[in-house]
Amino acid sequence: MFPLTEENKHVAHLLLSTGTCPRCIFRFCGVDFHAPYKLPYKDLLNELQKFLETEKDELILEVPNPPPKKIRLQELEDGTDGIDNLSQNGEGRVSVIEDGSIASKNSNLNVCNVCLGILQEFCEKEFIKKVCQKVEASGFEFTNLVFSVSFPPQLSVREKQSLSLGRNDIVQLKEAYKWITHPLISEQLGVPIDGKSLFEVSVVFAHPETVEDFHFLRVICPDCFKPAKNKQSVFTRMAVMKALNKIKEEDFHKQFPCPPNSPKAVCTVLEIECAHGAVFVAGRYNKYSRNLPQTPWIIDGERKLESSVEELISDHLLAVFKAESFNFSSSGREDVDVRTLGNGRPFAIELVNPHRVHFTSQEIKELQQKINNSSNKIQVRDLQLVTREAIGHMKEGEEEKTKSYSALIWTNNTIQKKDIEFLNDIKDLKIDQKTPLRVLHRRPLAVRTRIIHSMESHYVDDHHFRLYLKTQAGTYIKEFVHGDFGRTKPNIGSLMNVTADILELDVESVDVDWPPALDD
């Protein structure tokens, strides 16, 4: 059943005669069910022509919701006759030109003066097939997808003229486009369209011929078009929409032709891109080397050490997930000369734009083993896929968590066992730590209060003892031992009235109950 009624006839006739395509006519007549839009363009045009066939001398005496006077006057001044011009929106053919953009092979095709060919050329099966071929060749794993389109900003300017028809039920261009294309894409690829999918297929359209359509808005509404560092042009979609909402109707109609002029060419496709949202892998790592930084150690562009914990783990993940890049985070960090023992330190890695995303638990176990076999400097445990939200558990209340350490300490004076036993009795010692000199280049100057919850001393010889500490997370242990030239008070040296220094430091445990432990 044809979707237009007799009351739509005059408006449809007028729109078609002034260069509007059948699908845009449906939109402006408030056709809000999908089926008519999905008809092939040629069939749609034939059906519309049949609907509008009337005797040339027939006079329509009364029209509900007549078009505005400006459009009717323009029609008379131009001497246009809708019946004689029904063929002007005839069928065109799509071609792919060398730079990958899409254009019409038929230079005589009258392009829609509103959608600029979007609802003529770019929702037909031939174009959708090209999009799907690009998706299939991309190498991404996906079980559903979200399909997004970016239209030229000038479409919003041309669309505004539709409001002159006096209707408030006009179907948005993007909505109509989705009605047509989503079923075609889903059928071609065999997966559903899902707005929450992490896999996105995006198409960006441009129309260079009409790029000056919206330039008058900058003159009338200059405050809407302010330059931004990360924007190549001030004429963004948001800026154009802001100006269109602000401009007075009479000013708009003075500046922009009504109806809009018909362009010579359809839109071009700037890009068809596929991208997958990040996936996250978490685990715990042990670090057994005293010559390995957590992250790449680069000073003034020069690399100091050949590898890092981050790279020894992430290089394997990048390869297996076929990701473009990664972001590494952890629950705290250890110095290059500090080992991390016990159950290890929690970490999470964001894998950006991964092409492979589906793994069994056995495959993840094998990946963990591959990492562990690749180096004797680190080991990984509890490797697992997690959600973005779950990573928050690693950072929650970070400074309220506790960490345990063991330190080998040297003193300038000779000591006996009795000289260090008093340390065992100290509980919840509050210390004030001014930002250490060694990190002052990357941390703001501040005084931080930290708590040493407990200590246990083990005598080694006249100048050495081992100290086991349980402290508040964020405590600088090295500075608590040697005092950092008085910047940490009190410290082991001041408590014992000696000069003390730290020779070795190990992280024994990081008391963060995340990620969940897995059975080996």
Side-chain angles (χ1 to χ4, degrees):
M1 180 179 175
F2 198 70
L4 300 184
T5 63
E6 284 298 317
E7 71 175 72
N8 303 133
K9 206 163 195 175
H10 188 88
V11 170
H13 163 244
L14 180 60
L15 288 171
L16 188 66
S17 67
T18 55
T20 305
C21 74
R23 289 184 176 118
C24 280
I25 291 172
F26 286 175
R27 296 193 300 115
F28 297 156
C29 290
V31 176
D32 61 358
F33 48 101
H34 304 185
Y37 294 92
K38 297 178 183 179
L39 289 172
Y41 186 80
K42 184 176 179 180
D43 296 346
L44 202 56
L45 186 62
N46 289 338
E47 289 295 320
L48 183 60
Q49 288 173 339
K50 289 178 184 178
F51 173 73
L52 294 178
E53 281 177 357
T54 57
E55 294 297 328
K56 282 196 176 184
D57 58 354
E58 180 181 340
L59 181 63
I60 302 176
L61 297 175
E62 185 176 349
V63 181
N65 300 319
K69 182 178 180 183
K70 183 168 184 179
I71 293 181
R72 288 187 277 117
L73 288 175
Q74 184 74 42
E75 180 186 14
L76 292 173
E77 290 168 2
D78 293 346
T80 56
D81 183 284
I83 301 302
D84 290 339
N85 287 285
L86 288 182
S87 62
Q88 74 168 355
N89 276 315
E91 183 187 15
R93 293 175 292 153
V94 174
S95 68
V96 183
I97 56 183
E98 286 184 2
D99 65 357
S101 63
I102 311 296
S104 172
K105 283 183 179 175
N106 184 355
S107 60
N108 295 321
L109 171 68
N110 285 84
V111 181
C112 177
N113 62 348
V114 179
C115 71
L116 303 177
I118 295 292
L119 295 182
Q120 292 173 293
E121 303 281 3
F122 299 105
C123 49
E124 297 294 295
K125 285 186 177 181
E126 187 173 345
F127 176 69
I128 298 303
K129 185 177 181 180
K130 180 183 184 298
V131 173
C132 292
Q133 286 172 343
K134 183 77 179 282
V135 174
E136 290 169 338
S138 67
F140 283 94
E141 276 187 351
F142 58 95
T143 55
N144 51 30
L145 64 90
V146 58
F147 182 58
S148 64
V149 289
S150 175
F151 295 143
Q154 54 264 45
L155 285 182
S156 300
V157 180
R158 291 171 172 260
E159 193 96 325
K160 185 175 175 68
Q161 290 292 8
S162 66
L163 300 177
S164 301
L165 296 173
R167 302 188 67 109
N168 57 10
D169 58 351
I170 292 170
V171 175
Q172 295 298 310
L173 173 60
K174 189 169 286 190
E175 194 72 10
Y177 189 76
K178 289 179 180 179
W179 291 347
I180 305 164
T181 58
H182 280 192
L184 294 174
I185 293 171
S186 185
E187 180 183 3
Q188 183 81 23
L189 295 175
V191 298
I193 304 289
D194 183 352
K196 295 182 179 179
S197 174
L198 289 177
F199 180 60
E200 180 180 19
V201 179
S202 60
V203 180
V204 179
F205 293 97
H207 197 263
E209 181 187 346
T210 59
V211 75
E212 294 186 2
D213 273 6
F214 43 70
H215 285 190
F216 72 92
L217 292 171
R218 190 179 188 183
V219 177
I220 299 174
C221 306
D223 56 320
C224 296
F225 299 92
K226 295 178 180 178
K229 290 182 179 179
N230 59 339
K231 300 292 184 182
Q232 293 182 347
S233 170
V234 295
F235 294 107
T236 62
R237 173 172 295 280
M238 291 298 293
V240 170
M241 290 302 297
K242 186 177 179 182
L244 288 174
N245 289 331
K246 185 175 182 180
I247 192 171
K248 295 178 181 179
E249 286 294 319
E250 55 268 29
D251 291 336
F252 178 80
H253 290 302
K254 285 178 184 176
Q255 297 290 333
F256 196 73
C258 180
N261 296 325
S262 292
K264 295 177 182 178
V266 297
C267 286
T268 58
V269 177
L270 291 184
E271 58 187 32
I272 301 172
E273 286 198 340
C274 301
H276 200 290
V279 296
F280 299 85
V281 177
R284 303 176 80 98
Y285 72 81
N286 292 106
K287 172 175 169 285
Y288 300 121
S289 170
R290 294 196 188 277
N291 195 35
L292 183 70
Q294 187 195 62
T295 55
W297 191 6
I298 300 171
I299 299 177
D300 296 331
E302 181 182 348
R303 184 163 193 135
K304 297 300 181 181
L305 292 171
E306 66 178 17
S307 191
S308 65
V309 173
E310 173 186 291
E311 292 165 296
L312 290 174
I313 300 172
S314 299
D315 285 353
H316 293 279
L317 297 182
L318 274 177
V320 172
F321 283 78
K322 299 179 182 178
E324 288 183 0
S325 59
F326 70 91
N327 295 303
F328 181 92
S329 60
S330 64
S331 180
R333 60 187 297 142
E334 66 283 311
D335 291 337
V336 62
D337 58 349
V338 176
R339 298 186 302 177
T340 298
L341 309 176
N343 286 331
R345 185 185 297 278
F347 71 91
I349 296 176
E350 176 187 15
L351 294 158
V352 179
N353 201 25
H355 285 59
R356 186 184 174 194
V357 293
H358 300 125
F359 293 85
T360 64
S361 57
Q362 181 59 35
E363 287 173 326
I364 296 294
K365 282 184 180 180
E366 291 171 0
L367 176 57
Q368 175 177 294
Q369 192 59 46
K370 185 177 181 181
I371 294 170
N372 292 340
N373 291 340
S374 68
S375 173
N376 59 5
K377 295 181 179 181
I378 65 159
Q379 291 281 286
V380 169
R381 68 178 68 202
D382 299 331
L383 196 68
Q384 57 196 277
L385 290 165
V386 297
T387 64
R388 183 188 294 272
E389 292 73 27
I391 293 176
H393 297 307
M394 185 173 71
K395 299 293 185 180
E396 279 176 5
E398 209 167 46
E399 291 193 356
E400 282 69 48
K401 302 292 184 181
T402 60
K403 296 183 180 181
S404 300
Y405 302 87
S406 67
L408 180 61
I409 298 173
W410 168 88
T411 61
N412 65 325
N413 294 340
T414 59
I415 58 171
Q416 297 179 2
K417 187 176 182 180
K418 63 180 181 179
D419 296 326
I420 59 174
E421 287 179 341
F422 78 99
L423 296 172
N424 302 342
D425 298 326
I426 297 176
K427 305 298 178 186
D428 296 328
L429 173 67
K430 286 187 177 181
I431 64 172
D432 291 325
Q433 294 196 300
K434 192 177 289 187
T435 304
L437 293 172
R438 64 189 174 92
V439 299
L440 199 53
H441 65 284
R442 56 184 170 87
R443 292 282 177 88
L445 178 62
V447 176
R448 300 171 180 86
T449 299
R450 294 291 184 262
I451 298 175
I452 309 298
H453 294 294
S454 63
M455 291 181 281
E456 183 181 324
S457 60
H458 288 224
Y459 181 79
V460 176
D461 60 33
D462 289 351
H463 290 279
H464 301 89
F465 69 98
R466 189 167 290 279
L467 186 64
Y468 295 89
L469 311 93
K470 188 171 186 178
T471 74
Q472 179 183 352
T475 303
Y476 291 105
I477 303 301
K478 291 178 179 179
E479 282 68 24
F480 173 60
V481 173
H482 58 61
D484 197 27
F485 301 100
R487 297 168 71 85
T488 291
K489 298 178 181 179
N491 55 70
I492 292 296
S494 66
L495 291 171
M496 294 179 61
N497 198 26
V498 297
T499 298
D501 204 354
I502 188 165
L503 303 181
E504 292 179 354
L505 180 62
D506 293 327
V507 180
E508 297 289 349
S509 72
V510 179
D511 300 329
V512 176
D513 190 21
W514 189 89
L518 302 177
D519 294 330
D520 291 335

